[in-house]
Amino acid sequence: MERTERSGRQQSTTEHRRRELLEAAERIVLRDGPDASMNAIAAEAGITKPILYRHFGDKGGLYRALALRHTDALLANLATALDAPVLRRDRVEATLDAYLLAIESQPQVYRFLMHPAEGDTAPETGFDVGRHSAPLLRRLGEELAKVITDRLDLGPGGELTARVWGHGIVGMMHGAGDWWLRERPCTREQLVTQLADLLWGQLAAVEDRAGGPGF
Amino acid sequence: MERTERSGRQQSTTEHRRRELLEAAERIVLRDGPDASMNAIAAEAGITKPILYRHFGDKGGLYRALALRHTDALLANLATALDAPVLRRDRVEATLDAYLLAIESQPQVYRFLMHPAEGDTAPETGFDVGRHSAPLLRRLGEELAKVITDRLDLGPGGELTARVWGHGIVGMMHGAGDWWLRERPCTREQLVTQLADLLWGQLAAVEDRAGGPGF
DNA sequence: GTACGATGTTACTAGCGGTAACCCGCAGTG
DNA sequence: CACTGCGGGTTACCGCTAGTAACATCGTAC
């Protein structure tokens, strides 16, 4: 039937238009940060607001669509680092490095991803701590947990341990990366080494300072 | 001279009024989250907007004033946990627990502190990654770094190591805490133990899963 | 030819942060 | 007494935002 044929083509051109709009939005968001207005984005795309709303529903929808692309890209990157066939320590360092390289080379993207400007489709949840704080981080944590579960023999209750560690490590990466990107107190390699040391138990291993009350 | 006398009293009553306004603001922020509007806060305080602006300059100023109180309170809490005269492991666990207890018992406050809704007094910095992401976390990281530097003998370059670890650990705490508060997959005690294990190098210590490609 | 559907517009609403201009009451001063 | 200064308070506004209705236009399928 022609119906499906035509609707198929329409679908594809619609998708194409949507991609164009997303690219315009991306240019503006990268330029103006999370304060980018729908008007500005529409202007960049050479159109007016209502069209954006037809395509993405609301601002949150547009932002989510935009975030999805980069999130997927970053996750793919990290997955390859995580799959490198080397020693565990090297693999951890490679993953940390991949993340830090990503946020270093595209800080605006990173910043945007971390603050998708609300819009959880769930109004009035009443207990939505971290509504802003990036679904990206949650996805990263879960992915890492999966890898840990797959590769490590954690014994009974290991699944919970893996998830705690996954989210903990991602949080560590994020927190340290945020600070590092802002202050740039050292090279990326140094940061990676220090963080890997931390994960390798150096905090517990180093000696107390002589004469101090211990730690 | 009466001048100073009067201006002194005026000062104190002004301070008092300011505290009242802050308390009203707190009630609203705790009720409405970061979306609390200046109108709503003014209404709660029984006045109108311009007065708020006279006292706090702009919305960011009010939010900063509000955040400062809780930030100080939380930091004081953590400091005592950090100063408990016990084993290093116990101290780390106590600190983790103190943080988690705080965010568990007052999630709205926690959420508010993590997203002080922009307003860095510096418009157009152009490179302000993490403008939203809580000065609280940065303060926490620095405090922890100080403690680590004081207590541990990290050798040459130890100051940098301490800062990396400080921000890394705070990030871990934050990331894991955020996830835990949202999903509640285990008790607080369990979470604390797992995180401390992670810091104690268990990630490096556990065995590969039998038959797997290693990790 | 005509009905549909997607693309696009102008013109609007409601609410936000923030401000200017004005009013009132009260301390201190000639 | 009148008069001046000043902090607390108000109404009414500005410019902006996200989001929406109503209307126009073009290409295609029947």
Side-chain angles (χ1 to χ4, degrees):
Chain A
M1 202 189 202
E2 285 296 73
R3 190 67 186 76
T4 63
E5 159 64 6
R6 176 221 180 192
S7 109
R9 273 203 287 125
Q10 280 299 101
Q11 185 72 6
S12 86
T13 68
T14 292
E15 286 293 319
H16 185 67
R17 194 80 184 96
R18 183 187 165 97
R19 254 201 307 276
E20 287 179 353
L21 297 185
L22 274 179
E23 278 160 26
E26 177 147 340
R27 283 193 296 274
I28 295 302
V29 164
L30 257 46
R31 207 194 51 192
D32 295 356
D35 299 338
S37 81
M38 294 299 266
N39 262 327
I41 293 173
E44 171 72 19
I47 52 166
T48 50
K49 272 192 302 177
I51 304 178
L52 285 181
Y53 285 96
R54 278 224 260 275
H55 274 270
F56 302 103
D58 62 353
K59 188 171 187 171
L62 199 169
Y63 275 42
R64 250 175 280 129
L66 212 47
L68 199 56
R69 308 170 110 201
H70 292 109
T71 299
D72 288 346
L74 177 55
L75 274 174
N77 260 9
L78 292 186
T80 70
L82 228 27
D83 279 338
V86 286
L87 291 179
R88 191 187 300 178
R89 166 89 188 204
D90 291 335
R91 202 170 294 185
V92 167
E93 291 199 2
T95 306
L96 289 170
D97 196 65
Y99 175 82
L100 294 173
L101 179 61
I103 72 172
E104 179 185 28
S105 56
Q106 296 197 323
Q108 305 98 321
V109 172
Y110 156 71
R111 171 155 159 259
F112 164 70
L113 288 180
M114 292 305 166
H115 302 277
E118 66 243 49
D120 243 52
T121 66
E124 197 64 89
T125 65
F127 205 78
D128 55 353
V129 171
R131 193 185 55 181
H132 301 252
S133 169
L136 168 58
L137 288 180
R138 263 170 276 147
R139 279 184 71 190
L140 276 180
E142 289 299 322
E143 292 294 325
L144 185 52
K146 228 179 288 174
V147 173
I148 292 176
T149 304
D150 284 352
R151 310 261 172 93
L152 261 52
D153 186 10
L154 292 170
E159 201 219 336
L160 175 62
T161 301
R163 296 184 77 206
V164 171
W165 289 5
H167 288 278
I169 293 172
V170 167
M172 185 196 80
M173 216 164 59
H174 171 228
D178 206 51
W179 162 76
W180 171 73
L181 198 54
R182 168 181 292 266
E183 303 206 3
R184 289 304 189 109
C186 60
T187 69
R188 204 173 68 239
E189 291 77 13
Q190 286 177 303
L191 181 61
V192 167
T193 304
Q194 307 269 21
L195 288 178
D197 279 348
L198 179 58
L199 285 175
W200 251 249
Q202 289 304 305
L203 177 71
V206 298
E207 294 295 320
D208 284 337
R209 195 172 277 279
F215 177 64
Chain B
M1 203 192 201
E2 286 297 71
R3 193 66 188 76
T4 64
E5 159 64 5
R6 178 219 178 189
S7 110
R9 274 202 287 124
Q10 281 300 101
Q11 184 72 7
S12 85
T13 67
T14 291
E15 286 293 318
H16 185 67
R17 194 82 185 95
R18 184 186 164 98
R19 254 202 307 276
E20 286 179 354
L21 296 185
L22 273 178
E23 278 162 25
E26 178 147 340
R27 283 194 295 274
I28 296 301
V29 164
L30 257 45
R31 205 195 50 191
D32 295 355
D35 300 336
S37 80
M38 293 299 266
N39 262 327
I41 293 173
E44 170 73 18
I47 53 166
T48 51
K49 271 194 299 177
I51 305 179
L52 285 181
Y53 285 96
R54 279 226 257 273
H55 274 272
F56 302 103
D58 63 352
K59 188 173 187 170
L62 199 169
Y63 275 41
R64 252 174 278 128
L66 211 48
L68 199 57
R69 307 170 112 201
H70 291 110
T71 298
D72 288 346
L74 177 56
L75 273 174
N77 260 9
L78 292 186
T80 69
L82 229 26
D83 279 339
V86 287
L87 289 178
R88 193 187 299 178
R89 166 89 187 206
D90 291 334
R91 203 170 292 186
V92 168
E93 291 199 2
T95 306
L96 290 170
D97 195 66
Y99 175 82
L100 294 173
L101 179 61
I103 73 172
E104 179 184 29
S105 56
Q106 295 197 321
Q108 306 99 322
V109 171
Y110 155 71
R111 171 154 158 258
F112 163 70
L113 287 180
M114 293 306 168
H115 302 278
E118 66 243 51
D120 245 51
T121 66
E124 196 65 87
T125 65
F127 205 77
D128 55 352
V129 170
R131 196 185 54 181
H132 301 252
S133 169
L136 168 58
L137 288 180
R138 263 170 275 145
R139 280 184 69 190
L140 276 181
E142 290 298 321
E143 292 293 325
L144 185 51
K146 229 179 289 174
V147 172
I148 292 176
T149 303
D150 284 353
R151 309 260 172 95
L152 260 54
D153 186 11
L154 293 170
E159 201 218 338
L160 175 63
T161 302
R163 296 184 77 204
V164 171
W165 289 5
H167 288 278
I169 293 172
V170 167
M172 184 196 82
M173 216 164 60
H174 173 228
D178 206 50
W179 162 74
W180 170 73
L181 198 54
R182 168 180 292 265
E183 303 206 3
R184 288 305 188 107
C186 62
T187 68
R188 205 172 68 240
E189 290 78 13
Q190 286 177 304
L191 181 60
V192 167
T193 304
Q194 309 268 22
L195 288 178
D197 279 348
L198 179 58
L199 286 175
W200 251 248
Q202 288 305 303
L203 177 70
V206 298
E207 293 294 320
D208 285 337
R209 193 172 278 277
F215 176 62

